[in-house]
Amino acid sequence: MNFKTTYVLFGVLALVLLVFVWTLWVGPTDAESTLYVLPSMHKEGSPLEPKDITRVEIERSQPNTEKIVFVRDAGSNRWRIVEPRDYPADSTAVDTLVRQIYNARRDEQADVLNNPQQYGLETPAEVITLIKETEPRREVKLNVGDTSPGAEKAVIYVTSSDRKEVMAVKKSELDNVKKPLVEFRSRELLSSATGDIQEFALSEHSKNKVVKGPVELKKSGEDRWVYVQPPYGDAQDKGANPAGNDQPPDNVEAVLTDISNLKVENTKDFIQDDAADLGKYHLDPAKNDVLRIEVERTESINTDEKGEKKRQTKKIALLVGISEKVGEKKDQYYAYIDDPKHKDIVALSANSVARLLKLVDKPDALRDRNLVALGGFRKPDALDIQNSYGLLEFRRTGPSSPPPGGASSQETWKLWRGDKVYTVDPATVQALINALTAPNQVKGFVDDPAKKKELGMDKPDAVVRIWIDSLPAEEKKDEKKDEKKDGSKEDKKEDKKEKKPEPKDKDKPAFTLSFGRLYEGHVAVQRQRGDEKTSTVVLAPSTVRDQVFQGPLAYLDKQLPPFNADRFDAVKNVTKLTLTRDGVTYEISRENKPEAPWKIDKPADFAGRTADRTAMETILRDLNDLRAVRIEADKTPEAPKLVEWGLDKPSLKAVVTLTQDNKPKTFEFDFGKETSDKSGVYLRTSLLDMIVVAGNNVVGDLKRELHDPTVFHFDAGKVQEVKLTGWLALQKPLGKNTPLTLTFKRTKGGSGWEVEPKDAIKLQPSRLDDFLKNLSDLKAVRFVAHKAKPSADQELDVDKGALRIELTVAEDKGPRKLTLTVGKEDGSFGYFAISDQLAGDIFDVRKDLFDKVKEKPAYFSGQ
């Protein structure tokens, strides 16, 4: 090889490298883009995406010559077929076609020669053009040739406006290009979405006359439908669909679902385009029964220059020949869209219109069976009730504090009667709201004007006005103004001049309900929305009437104000409780310290005795957290009523003294007679100017034992001596008429016990220790009598069978003597007992603590 040849070879190599580098530089940056059939649609920076395509043209030469053109509507984004004739298109099918062409890629596994004639591409079977009509205008073409045999691995051979070479694309990824025109026709007849329907009308025609209907309803607001014809007022917007086709739908949502489900089930059900003879398909109204279903549907929602949304709608009607069922199974009807240009006959399922036919037969099936339908999550915030008690004005003032136990919080409400404001029971107001808004409680309708007057609609007995989300936002109060120097809250009385919040549009309540007379166990109610002139008279349960006819006292807050601001600590700062019951007055007091003991000051016989802490806490807690069974009067009545209710000279009276900053303040509670219905007793308290009924449980707690039930309280380890005297019944068989005495003395060092007499029993120390432990905190089960002497039948004398227990307990000030005498069994309460610690008291002690000990002294030896 000479030098010249070498230079030539190096030159060729350099040229090849230069071409390679240039190809890399100007070629596609994404290696995958070389696989796209139309790479220009994916060009970085200026792609042509499926959403940009507004026109699709298909020109076919095989098997027949035809041209199909789809045009996208700019407002609705829906496709329509404009050639070979105007048809509604299946937008999903057209979108799929465009997307398949956009995503089409060469199948690298396919063995393809670049021979267009071999693959039917010299004269393509079809040419599909995708066009973007907006500026800058763009279009691309896909040439479609033959399809290879097979199923899973079949390919379609194509060329494109971007690439002239023959390419194979998997058939499964491009199958829409082969679909016939009928596959692109819309099978939906009236509306694809229930939300697009703004109005519908159903009517049945025969011999050019309307024989049934029309049943016409229109949408009025987001959650409301109303009758246009017949003039039935509100319609039920939601509910449960009937189980079968033998009943009409009972709500608008069901009707809309049925209408949107009116579809051509199969391509073979496109029967005849541009039919000339409607009678042939049972659709001639001069000869046949025809159901007309007309809807007004949303085509698009556009925004105008002011930024407001404008809904563009279109009316469309479907006529169904219901004279005769057709099809192989006789389960279809012929139908067509009412179009002045074309009469395209289709077949649809007879079941799909069955309930609509029932609705034409029973047009009132959709009437609103709710007395009040609030819609969504809307809530009433203002209620006015005009009844025999006058005007009751309720206003929601905010959410209440969450109740204990994790339950959901209730709304707080107040009641105005003139200038006076009351706190009301939120549960009672909620019960009223629940009664008015309970679903499906309307049991019938009254349309006859004469009947309406007969039921008192011209002069209603009560009127309820309801406003929803109408009150202005409540201003936050400056809580710092209510704080005292120590940081605690000032206990202020409710301001009776509190300003009543008013709805923004007072003259336009969401609902006005006028209650008339009872009719066949139901109450007639005229329902009117807002300031509309039309209204509907319905029949509602009589229980709703009872709720509305209640007086103001039924709504007042039954939770009485506390005397102690801390409801969870009723005892705090209480220094005295005076109780008068059964003609005896008890005064119990203590120092104003949290752990200070309660001492009985009166009556004099018990002065100095300790009161039961648990009983005191229970009584104070009851009085501080009183909840009335009901409110009997909202002011103190005249003297005769006080006498009738037993409040002139109450047999049970409590006075609580609260001391703060050395300033005592008293709160009185007078309990009168029991009510006739036995639900409680009448109560008058200085906490409020009302008479209420208090529960019987409160009276029971006020009558409980006040004395401290503690008999003994000592350290069992400091007992030095135990002397037991008794067991007379065991002595008599031995010829002895005196009780036996056993004495247990703790040994020096305190490690054991000595028994006297020494040979009396063989002591098991653990038995004696357990017995002392039980005695160390002994409490009376109940007090039988105070300041009384034991009776013979109580057997509290050791010479008559009692057991006397004498203890010597070592204490800092010297030994302390304790004595307990246990007598006869007192039924289920235990044993009668007396003690020098509770002088003059006869009480019961637990039976299980003394059963074995009273039976025999051998108990202490383990026998």
Side-chain angles (χ1 to χ4, degrees), residues 802-832:
L803 173 68
R804 184 169 63 236
I805 304 163
E806 300 172 83
L807 306 176
T808 302
V809 183
E811 293 187 352
D812 294 340
K813 296 180 180 181
R816 182 162 63 115
K817 299 289 185 179
L818 304 173
T819 302
L820 176 71
T821 301
V822 183
K824 183 181 178 182
E825 186 176 343
D826 183 16
S828 61
F829 296 105
Y831 290 107
F832 290 112

Side-chain angles (χ1 to χ4, degrees), residues 693-753:
V693 175
N696 290 311
N697 62 307
V698 178
V699 175
D701 285 341
L702 287 169
K703 291 184 176 181
R704 67 184 295 168
E705 182 60 60
L706 298 174
H707 293 78
D708 187 351
T710 302
V711 180
F712 294 145
H713 187 72
F714 59 84
D715 184 347
K718 292 183 178 182
V719 175
Q720 301 299 308
E721 181 178 297
V722 181
K723 184 178 180 180
L724 302 172
T725 303
W727 302 294
L728 184 63
L730 297 178
Q731 292 287 84
K732 288 185 176 181
L734 300 177
K736 300 178 181 180
N737 291 320
T738 56
L740 172 66
T741 299
L742 289 177
T743 304
F744 304 96
K745 295 183 177 181
R746 198 179 290 277
T747 58
K748 292 182 179 181
S751 59
W753 294 92

Side-chain angles (χ1 to χ4, degrees), residues 523-538:
V523 62
V525 184
Q526 180 174 279
R527 178 182 63 205
Q528 184 176 7
R529 281 183 178 262
D531 57 356
E532 295 178 3
K533 295 181 180 180
T534 58
S535 61
T536 305
V537 176
V538 303

Side-chain angles (χ1 to χ4, degrees), residues 64-84:
N64 299 306
T65 301
E66 66 175 341
K67 183 176 182 179
I68 306 172
V69 178
F70 307 105
V71 174
R72 192 201 298 267
D73 177 69
S76 66
N77 215 31
R78 293 190 180 103
W79 289 97
R80 189 162 189 88
I81 302 170
V82 296
E83 286 191 49

